[in-house]
Amino acid sequence: MSKILVTGGCGYIGSHTLVDLVENGFEVISVDNNSRSTPRILEGVEKITGQKIKNYKVDLCNYDDTFAIFQENTDITGIIHFAAFKAVGESVAHPVMYFENNLMSLLNLLKCVQEFKVPYFVFSSSCTVYGNPDVIPVTESTPPKPAESPYGYTKQMGEQIINEFAKVSDSQCVLLRYFNPVGAHPSIQIGELPIGRPANLVPAITQTAIGKLPQMTVFGNDYDTRDGSCLRDFIHVSDIAHAHTLSLQYLIDGKSDKACEVFNLGSGNGVTVLEAIRAFEKVSGQALNYTIGPRRPGDVIAIYANNEHAVKELGWEIKYSLEDMLDTAWKWETRIREDESFYLVQNANLN
Ligand code: WQD
């Protein structure tokens, strides 16, 4: 049974990927310092899979502590690296914190990949590397443009670091560029737990709908799109998770002839902010209290994926519709509303 190290396993996409890996026969361990997550989410993973997942509460920016994990687990076949700070707005306010955290952790991991000869490395990247594309949908060969935030730069720089590493390493790497991951596992045992006021659209919608936020703001409706609001490619988090399992299998089966390969993980459908709100109102059966506000600095106007490479090479089949994404997100919000301990995590003061 191949053992996979998942960094950020207590996080949103990390926890969903732990579930998918276990359900597909992999042995998994997590490393997560819980600076932006709670180990409580692993209870949900255990409820779904029936397996207790070991989490190493380690800061990957500490090389010695990271190295010790590999000394204890010399049989790691692959690594999926999620652990990173990911709030666009926060990265603008705290650029050095973002470059240090997101790049130091990556460099320490790659040194361990080299030292312990870990065969496969999968990196959590983002469509943010495309910046504001001139042509949509974007393919993996669409040239990256200057990032719109320090967060985006850490993803672009992370890809470059891994590319150069892969050229001189025996390990094979995959870069997965997520579009907008939303929704919750259909069991509603795990989901997104944004800390503090949510920056992302769908948690802002569900927290407004449940009354945790008084009102949400649509950041601009004067863009050159079909209804004036920004256009995005929403993709269910469980579909994203399964693409990670497929990527590892693709590498293990020797199907990649590249040192480093890129895949877009998007639905291939463009949906505007206002269309997402309409879809939520239909799914939830309630009107959403929102207002139109000024544009948000750094926002990409319109982007969605050409996902044919992942569909063809990985055999990736998208299971969930936009309605499924919004329905599971709403059901998850309703569930955590009933469990104060989850909100304690969300209201944690960020230092
Ligand atoms: C989507 C749209 C907002 C909140 C970023 C990162 C990406 C990934 C996801 C980590 C935009 C609008 C939002 C609100 C709004 N990060 N919006 N009111 O910026 O597309 O992507 O987060 O994995 O890498 O770049 O996602 O959900 O923040 O915004 O109108 O209260 O919703 O202006 O147009 P984004 P988002």
Side-chain angles (χ1 to χ4, degrees):
M1 186 188 276
S2 297
K3 180 187 276 188
I4 307 299
L5 170 64
V6 175
T7 76
C10 298
Y12 177 38
I13 307 175
S15 55
H16 285 79
T17 302
L18 286 173
V19 167
D20 200 89
L21 287 166
V22 169
E23 289 181 338
N24 284 276
F26 287 91
E27 183 188 353
V28 297
I29 53 174
S30 166
V31 52
D32 193 318
N33 67 356
N34 297 134
S35 65
R36 300 292 172 89
S37 64
T38 170
R40 282 261 346 248
I41 213 78
L42 296 182
E43 292 167 20
V45 174
E46 187 177 346
K47 279 191 189 135
I48 300 167
T49 63
Q51 282 196 29
K52 196 161 183 50
I53 310 291
K54 178 173 181 54
N55 180 58
Y56 290 84
K57 188 169 182 170
V58 160
D59 183 347
L60 294 168
C61 291
N62 181 311
Y63 178 69
D64 293 340
D65 290 351
T66 304
F67 188 88
I69 297 171
F70 290 84
Q71 278 181 312
E72 193 178 312
N73 298 273
T74 54
D75 55 347
I76 292 172
T77 301
I79 295 172
I80 304 181
H81 180 38
F82 293 104
F85 292 160
K86 59 147 222 158
V88 173
E90 185 189 38
S91 77
V92 174
H94 302 283
V96 171
M97 181 177 83
Y98 265 69
F99 287 119
E100 180 181 43
N101 183 68
N102 291 6
L103 299 181
M104 182 65 74
S105 52
L106 174 61
L107 292 169
N108 283 344
L109 272 177
L110 293 178
K111 287 195 278 187
C112 291
V113 167
Q114 191 68 1
E115 184 70 28
F116 291 90
K117 299 181 175 23
V118 177
Y120 310 115
F121 187 83
V122 178
F123 178 63
S124 164
S125 189
S126 165
C127 62
T128 200
V129 303
Y130 294 112
N132 251 312
D134 298 326
V135 177
I136 51 176
V138 292
T139 68
E140 289 80 359
S141 51
T142 297
K145 293 181 75 177
E148 300 284 342
S149 67
Y151 161 76
Y153 276 117
T154 67
K155 290 302 180 184
Q156 286 183 339
M157 294 158 82
E159 289 197 356
Q160 289 163 355
I161 291 166
I162 294 163
N163 257 308
E164 293 308 316
F165 168 78
K167 285 177 188 169
V168 295
S169 160
D170 293 331
S171 305
Q172 280 189 289
C173 304
V174 160
L175 310 176
L176 298 178
R177 291 177 180 164
Y178 314 150
F179 284 69
N180 287 61
V182 297
H185 188 270
S187 67
I188 316 298
Q189 293 299 328
I190 55 175
E192 190 169 9
L193 275 177
I195 293 179
R197 189 182 176 85
N200 294 136
L201 177 66
V202 171
I205 289 175
T206 57
Q207 287 194 15
T208 302
I210 206 143
K212 193 164 170 6
L213 293 175
Q215 185 182 59
M216 73 156 285
T217 303
V218 171
F219 297 135
N221 69 343
D222 56 353
Y223 287 104
D224 182 17
T225 63
R226 54 181 178 254
D227 64 11
S229 64
C230 290
L231 187 115
R232 291 289 183 275
D233 181 328
F234 299 102
I235 178 79
H236 195 283
V237 62
S238 292
D239 278 325
I240 292 266
H242 190 52
H244 289 74
T245 304
L246 291 172
S247 298
L248 279 171
Q249 206 54 62
Y250 174 76
L251 293 171
I252 291 167
D253 294 346
K255 291 181 178 169
S256 175
D257 57 3
K258 294 185 179 65
C260 187
E261 195 156 357
V262 184
F263 294 99
N264 278 344
L265 297 186
S267 68
N269 302 314
V271 172
T272 70
V273 170
L274 289 169
E275 289 166 350
I277 289 174
R278 294 281 167 273
F280 176 80
E281 290 178 326
K282 190 166 158 244
V283 156
S284 64
Q286 62 179 68
L288 187 75
N289 180 7
Y290 70 92
T291 181
I292 304 291
R295 295 181 173 189
R296 181 173 72 173
D299 261 338
V300 164
I301 298 167
I303 188 167
Y304 70 100
N306 175 320
N307 62 8
E308 289 164 12
H309 188 47
V311 170
K312 181 169 173 285
E313 294 302 317
L314 301 179
W316 190 43
E317 291 172 22
I318 291 168
K319 282 175 64 180
Y320 299 94
S321 67
L322 178 66
E323 287 67 28
D324 295 329
M325 298 175 212
L326 297 168
D327 182 51
T328 51
W330 179 228
K331 285 189 169 80
W332 170 250
E333 187 68 59
T334 306
R335 177 169 183 277
I336 57 176
R337 176 85 173 157
E338 293 148 13
D339 185 337
E340 191 54 32
S341 66
F342 276 125
Y343 274 140
L344 289 178
V345 169
Q346 286 192 303
N347 298 333
N349 295 321
L350 298 181
N351 50 30

